[in-house]
Amino acid sequence: MCGITGWIDWRKDLTGYPSILENMTETLHLRGPDASGTWISQHCALGHRRLSVMDPENGAQPMVRKQGDYTYTIVYNGELYNAPELKKELELRGHHFRTTCDTEVLLVAFIEWGRACVDRLNGIFAFAAWNDQEQSLYLVRDRLGVKPLFYSHQNSVLLFGSEPKAILAHPDFEAEVGAEGLAEIFAVGPARTPGHGIYRNMSELKPGQCAVFDRNGLSIRTYWKLESHQHSDDIAATALQVQQLLRDTSQRQLVSDVPICTLLSGGLDSSALTALASAHYKNSGQGALHTFSVDYKDNDKHFKANIFQPNSDAPWIKRMTEHLGTEHHYIEFDTPELVESLKTAVFARDTPGMADVDGSLYLFCREIKKEATVAISGEAADEIFGGYPWFHNEEALAAGTFPWSLKLNNRVDLLAPDFVDWIKPVEYVSNRYQQALSEVPRLAGETQQQNRMREMSYLNITRFMPTLLDRKDRMSMAVGLEVRVPFCDHRLVEYVWNIPWEIKTSGDREKGILRKALQGVLPDDVLTRKKSPYPKTHNPNYLAAVRKWVLEILDDPSSPLLPFIDVKKIRALASSESNDFDLPWFGQLMTGPQLFAYLAQVDTWLRSYKISIR
């Protein structure tokens, strides 16, 4: 994994501005701590920061290759899991390779098949390929949006980067946010509408999109999207196909020239990937697999089971590590470092995020990086297979809004009235929700309930899952750790998308078909364990710390947060011993403490990035 950035400008000779490109590239140094490279022509400047995973000696970027009279240059962030097959096919077509890295495979694929090369790729990627003769740039993002790609198009100029910070580093780009961006922060956040960059004049290439920028302007097309069709396999055949797809993608994603580990919570998803990885390691003679888990100091004393977190992970982690014989690493954090990580997480995202849910992942990845460079994670299984509580809750199903954000009115009540009149948060969220529903690929003949569950799946895959993928990418790459997500293999997603709800929930269980597919892979008690999400701290010291932080912000008349919030209501909430946000106001994990932490992150963001409100 790496960081990429670039600048195309038809008005200037960019060879005269190398320092601007270097500054843009340097903002991404945490994503790519191993090497840096830039390439500049008259109208195109490309930058790259490298995290070496495949062929560390020969995979330097930007990578340039000539084919006849044509010159091609690429910067690329990601992993191609079908690179060996593509390489063989390209060799049969007469191409020769100088490296063993997938960057060269991707570049040669672009040379051979042009813009149609994207249809042949299996992996997670964001790349930019420059055709010098055509004077055109080809931008592509992977089908599920695992790897990020932001851009700004203004007149004859295009800026792009793996993260907003690369674009913000350009001297002609202003850190401005308007009503729409603020509605994203205060009403939709920490989620984000697909394609929305928060900052004015900044967008994000959506998952499954590609773009061409030339002298005619910027053109964007969708090369992949979910399609609905009849599912003909019975339960047994469906379970077998799910298992085969999961085995194949897991094995592909275990290829690396650097150490690999897995994140293990003892839940169904992470246990499945760990079991498959452990078997692969043993079969290939690589020894014991390293596994990692996260927890918080004194969580065992303060944990209280609820509908969202029915049990703690520790006993289940022990069960799996003993069952598989992995070399396990228990990582634990205390409140002070968790509070401090809230600021670091803002700088990693360039926006406010999931509060301590982000910060704890950053700390977790930082510790993992000391032992490994690549990690396997169970992200996305709940969105794809329907595992979240809101898939099975009648109130959430009938709410007529995003099911992970049912307390919008409570949130709006904490905002300044004039600000509410300006951004119209309830109307904004309603419009975004209706927009999402209008995109759902319907299937003729489905019942009302089947249609609603298809809607719920679409909402989760296209609106909630990107929030977690953003989190995983930013927090891991902020320490130079590559995290792979096998459940995001597009072949698996395409297949599961069309499995009828009654088969997905076979055995009258959430993710029933996945449990059936994993029979023989996992112990029976792990197979039937009730879902428990990523762990958060239950230590009351954390709540006390973020309350104190918010009260300090409220006492600071220079705080840029104050114009947006109802100061009296926030003060009363922060000063009270009770917690009116005892149930999640976003997702499963963000309750009262996370509300205060989120407001503190917004304040940090507005101050540190010197945001202008327009």
mmCIF file with all atom_site columns, all heavy atoms in Angstrom, residues 516-528:
data_model
loop_
_atom_site.group_PDB
_atom_site.id
_atom_site.type_symbol
_atom_site.label_atom_id
_atom_site.label_alt_id
_atom_site.label_comp_id
_atom_site.label_asym_id
_atom_site.label_entity_id
_atom_site.label_seq_id
_atom_site.pdbx_PDB_ins_code
_atom_site.Cartn_x
_atom_site.Cartn_y
_atom_site.Cartn_z
_atom_site.occupancy
_atom_site.B_iso_or_equiv
_atom_site.pdbx_formal_charge
_atom_site.auth_seq_id
_atom_site.auth_comp_id
_atom_site.auth_asym_id
_atom_site.auth_atom_id
_atom_site.pdbx_PDB_model_num
ATOM 1  N N   . LYS A 1 516 ? -23.130 -21.479 8.151  1.00 0.00 ? 516 LYS A N   1
ATOM 2  C CA  . LYS A 1 516 ? -23.225 -22.789 7.513  1.00 0.00 ? 516 LYS A CA  1
ATOM 3  C C   . LYS A 1 516 ? -22.004 -23.039 6.618  1.00 0.00 ? 516 LYS A C   1
ATOM 4  O O   . LYS A 1 516 ? -21.470 -24.153 6.557  1.00 0.00 ? 516 LYS A O   1
ATOM 5  C CB  . LYS A 1 516 ? -24.523 -22.869 6.705  1.00 0.00 ? 516 LYS A CB  1
ATOM 6  C CG  . LYS A 1 516 ? -24.839 -24.254 6.149  1.00 0.00 ? 516 LYS A CG  1
ATOM 7  C CD  . LYS A 1 516 ? -26.208 -24.285 5.492  1.00 0.00 ? 516 LYS A CD  1
ATOM 8  C CE  . LYS A 1 516 ? -27.320 -24.180 6.517  1.00 0.00 ? 516 LYS A CE  1
ATOM 9  N NZ  . LYS A 1 516 ? -27.407 -25.426 7.345  1.00 0.00 ? 516 LYS A NZ  1
ATOM 10 N N   . ALA A 1 517 ? -21.564 -21.989 5.930  1.00 0.00 ? 517 ALA A N   1
ATOM 11 C CA  . ALA A 1 517 ? -20.403 -22.117 5.044  1.00 0.00 ? 517 ALA A CA  1
ATOM 12 C C   . ALA A 1 517 ? -19.127 -22.420 5.821  1.00 0.00 ? 517 ALA A C   1
ATOM 13 O O   . ALA A 1 517 ? -18.186 -23.012 5.272  1.00 0.00 ? 517 ALA A O   1
ATOM 14 C CB  . ALA A 1 517 ? -20.233 -20.839 4.229  1.00 0.00 ? 517 ALA A CB  1
ATOM 15 N N   . LEU A 1 518 ? -19.088 -22.034 7.090  1.00 0.00 ? 518 LEU A N   1
ATOM 16 C CA  . LEU A 1 518 ? -17.869 -22.191 7.893  1.00 0.00 ? 518 LEU A CA  1
ATOM 17 C C   . LEU A 1 518 ? -17.898 -23.434 8.775  1.00 0.00 ? 518 LEU A C   1
ATOM 18 O O   . LEU A 1 518 ? -17.017 -23.614 9.616  1.00 0.00 ? 518 LEU A O   1
ATOM 19 C CB  . LEU A 1 518 ? -17.661 -20.939 8.750  1.00 0.00 ? 518 LEU A CB  1
ATOM 20 C CG  . LEU A 1 518 ? -17.340 -19.666 7.956  1.00 0.00 ? 518 LEU A CG  1
ATOM 21 C CD1 . LEU A 1 518 ? -17.365 -18.443 8.856  1.00 0.00 ? 518 LEU A CD1 1
ATOM 22 C CD2 . LEU A 1 518 ? -15.989 -19.790 7.253  1.00 0.00 ? 518 LEU A CD2 1
ATOM 23 N N   . GLN A 1 519 ? -18.906 -24.280 8.589  1.00 0.00 ? 519 GLN A N   1
ATOM 24 C CA  . GLN A 1 519 ? -18.934 -25.536 9.331  1.00 0.00 ? 519 GLN A CA  1
ATOM 25 C C   . GLN A 1 519 ? -17.726 -26.379 8.942  1.00 0.00 ? 519 GLN A C   1
ATOM 26 O O   . GLN A 1 519 ? -17.444 -26.568 7.763  1.00 0.00 ? 519 GLN A O   1
ATOM 27 C CB  . GLN A 1 519 ? -20.229 -26.292 9.047  1.00 0.00 ? 519 GLN A CB  1
ATOM 28 C CG  . GLN A 1 519 ? -21.442 -25.652 9.697  1.00 0.00 ? 519 GLN A CG  1
ATOM 29 C CD  . GLN A 1 519 ? -22.739 -26.360 9.354  1.00 0.00 ? 519 GLN A CD  1
ATOM 30 O OE1 . GLN A 1 519 ? -22.772 -27.262 8.512  1.00 0.00 ? 519 GLN A OE1 1
ATOM 31 N NE2 . GLN A 1 519 ? -23.831 -25.962 9.995  1.00 0.00 ? 519 GLN A NE2 1
ATOM 32 N N   . GLY A 1 520 ? -17.012 -26.858 9.941  1.00 0.00 ? 520 GLY A N   1
ATOM 33 C CA  . GLY A 1 520 ? -15.782 -27.592 9.681  1.00 0.00 ? 520 GLY A CA  1
ATOM 34 C C   . GLY A 1 520 ? -14.550 -26.715 9.650  1.00 0.00 ? 520 GLY A C   1
ATOM 35 O O   . GLY A 1 520 ? -13.425 -27.212 9.748  1.00 0.00 ? 520 GLY A O   1
ATOM 36 N N   . VAL A 1 521 ? -14.759 -25.414 9.502  1.00 0.00 ? 521 VAL A N   1
ATOM 37 C CA  . VAL A 1 521 ? -13.648 -24.468 9.535  1.00 0.00 ? 521 VAL A CA  1
ATOM 38 C C   . VAL A 1 521 ? -13.440 -23.940 10.953 1.00 0.00 ? 521 VAL A C   1
ATOM 39 O O   . VAL A 1 521 ? -12.310 -23.756 11.402 1.00 0.00 ? 521 VAL A O   1
ATOM 40 C CB  . VAL A 1 521 ? -13.900 -23.293 8.555  1.00 0.00 ? 521 VAL A CB  1
ATOM 41 C CG1 . VAL A 1 521 ? -12.784 -22.250 8.645  1.00 0.00 ? 521 VAL A CG1 1
ATOM 42 C CG2 . VAL A 1 521 ? -14.031 -23.803 7.127  1.00 0.00 ? 521 VAL A CG2 1
ATOM 43 N N   . LEU A 1 522 ? -14.556 -23.718 11.681 1.00 0.00 ? 522 LEU A N   1
ATOM 44 C CA  . LEU A 1 522 ? -14.515 -23.177 13.031 1.00 0.00 ? 522 LEU A CA  1
ATOM 45 C C   . LEU A 1 522 ? -15.161 -24.142 14.023 1.00 0.00 ? 522 LEU A C   1
ATOM 46 O O   . LEU A 1 522 ? -16.050 -24.913 13.648 1.00 0.00 ? 522 LEU A O   1
ATOM 47 C CB  . LEU A 1 522 ? -15.263 -21.839 13.092 1.00 0.00 ? 522 LEU A CB  1
ATOM 48 C CG  . LEU A 1 522 ? -14.678 -20.667 12.306 1.00 0.00 ? 522 LEU A CG  1
ATOM 49 C CD1 . LEU A 1 522 ? -15.591 -19.455 12.416 1.00 0.00 ? 522 LEU A CD1 1
ATOM 50 C CD2 . LEU A 1 522 ? -13.274 -20.332 12.793 1.00 0.00 ? 522 LEU A CD2 1
ATOM 51 N N   . PRO A 1 523 ? -14.765 -24.083 15.283 1.00 0.00 ? 523 PRO A N   1
ATOM 52 C CA  . PRO A 1 523 ? -15.441 -24.874 16.311 1.00 0.00 ? 523 PRO A CA  1
ATOM 53 C C   . PRO A 1 523 ? -16.913 -24.458 16.405 1.00 0.00 ? 523 PRO A C   1
ATOM 54 O O   . PRO A 1 523 ? -17.260 -23.300 16.154 1.00 0.00 ? 523 PRO A O   1
ATOM 55 C CB  . PRO A 1 523 ? -14.678 -24.509 17.592 1.00 0.00 ? 523 PRO A CB  1
ATOM 56 C CG  . PRO A 1 523 ? -13.376 -23.960 17.145 1.00 0.00 ? 523 PRO A CG  1
ATOM 57 C CD  . PRO A 1 523 ? -13.626 -23.314 15.826 1.00 0.00 ? 523 PRO A CD  1
ATOM 58 N N   . ASP A 1 524 ? -17.762 -25.384 16.815 1.00 0.00 ? 524 ASP A N   1
ATOM 59 C CA  . ASP A 1 524 ? -19.206 -25.122 16.847 1.00 0.00 ? 524 ASP A CA  1
ATOM 60 C C   . ASP A 1 524 ? -19.571 -23.962 17.761 1.00 0.00 ? 524 ASP A C   1
ATOM 61 O O   . ASP A 1 524 ? -20.464 -23.173 17.437 1.00 0.00 ? 524 ASP A O   1
ATOM 62 C CB  . ASP A 1 524 ? -19.962 -26.386 17.288 1.00 0.00 ? 524 ASP A CB  1
ATOM 63 C CG  . ASP A 1 524 ? -19.952 -27.468 16.214 1.00 0.00 ? 524 ASP A CG  1
ATOM 64 O OD1 . ASP A 1 524 ? -19.626 -27.135 15.056 1.00 0.00 ? 524 ASP A OD1 1
ATOM 65 O OD2 . ASP A 1 524 ? -20.265 -28.626 16.545 1.00 0.00 ? 524 ASP A OD2 1
ATOM 66 N N   . ASP A 1 525 ? -18.908 -23.848 18.914 1.00 0.00 ? 525 ASP A N   1
ATOM 67 C CA  . ASP A 1 525 ? -19.281 -22.763 19.827 1.00 0.00 ? 525 ASP A CA  1
ATOM 68 C C   . ASP A 1 525 ? -18.915 -21.389 19.258 1.00 0.00 ? 525 ASP A C   1
ATOM 69 O O   . ASP A 1 525 ? -19.627 -20.404 19.487 1.00 0.00 ? 525 ASP A O   1
ATOM 70 C CB  . ASP A 1 525 ? -18.653 -22.956 21.206 1.00 0.00 ? 525 ASP A CB  1
ATOM 71 C CG  . ASP A 1 525 ? -17.143 -23.127 21.158 1.00 0.00 ? 525 ASP A CG  1
ATOM 72 O OD1 . ASP A 1 525 ? -16.601 -23.421 20.074 1.00 0.00 ? 525 ASP A OD1 1
ATOM 73 O OD2 . ASP A 1 525 ? -16.493 -22.973 22.219 1.00 0.00 ? 525 ASP A OD2 1
ATOM 74 N N   . VAL A 1 526 ? -17.844 -21.309 18.505 1.00 0.00 ? 526 VAL A N   1
ATOM 75 C CA  . VAL A 1 526 ? -17.481 -20.048 17.849 1.00 0.00 ? 526 VAL A CA  1
ATOM 76 C C   . VAL A 1 526 ? -18.450 -19.768 16.698 1.00 0.00 ? 526 VAL A C   1
ATOM 77 O O   . VAL A 1 526 ? -18.834 -18.612 16.469 1.00 0.00 ? 526 VAL A O   1
ATOM 78 C CB  . VAL A 1 526 ? -16.026 -20.084 17.347 1.00 0.00 ? 526 VAL A CB  1
ATOM 79 C CG1 . VAL A 1 526 ? -15.673 -18.789 16.615 1.00 0.00 ? 526 VAL A CG1 1
ATOM 80 C CG2 . VAL A 1 526 ? -15.069 -20.320 18.506 1.00 0.00 ? 526 VAL A CG2 1
ATOM 81 N N   . LEU A 1 527 ? -18.838 -20.808 16.002 1.00 0.00 ? 527 LEU A N   1
ATOM 82 C CA  . LEU A 1 527 ? -19.805 -20.660 14.905 1.00 0.00 ? 527 LEU A CA  1
ATOM 83 C C   . LEU A 1 527 ? -21.114 -20.043 15.376 1.00 0.00 ? 527 LEU A C   1
ATOM 84 O O   . LEU A 1 527 ? -21.754 -19.281 14.647 1.00 0.00 ? 527 LEU A O   1
ATOM 85 C CB  . LEU A 1 527 ? -20.108 -22.024 14.279 1.00 0.00 ? 527 LEU A CB  1
ATOM 86 C CG  . LEU A 1 527 ? -19.296 -22.480 13.077 1.00 0.00 ? 527 LEU A CG  1
ATOM 87 C CD1 . LEU A 1 527 ? -19.771 -23.854 12.639 1.00 0.00 ? 527 LEU A CD1 1
ATOM 88 C CD2 . LEU A 1 527 ? -19.409 -21.491 11.932 1.00 0.00 ? 527 LEU A CD2 1
ATOM 89 N N   . THR A 1 528 ? -21.516 -20.363 16.584 1.00 0.00 ? 528 THR A N   1
ATOM 90 C CA  . THR A 1 528 ? -22.823 -19.913 17.074 1.00 0.00 ? 528 THR A CA  1
ATOM 91 C C   . THR A 1 528 ? -22.721 -18.708 18.004 1.00 0.00 ? 528 THR A C   1
ATOM 92 O O   . THR A 1 528 ? -23.740 -18.263 18.537 1.00 0.00 ? 528 THR A O   1
ATOM 93 C CB  . THR A 1 528 ? -23.532 -21.055 17.815 1.00 0.00 ? 528 THR A CB  1
ATOM 94 O OG1 . THR A 1 528 ? -22.700 -21.533 18.882 1.00 0.00 ? 528 THR A OG1 1
ATOM 95 C CG2 . THR A 1 528 ? -23.841 -22.210 16.859 1.00 0.00 ? 528 THR A CG2 1
#
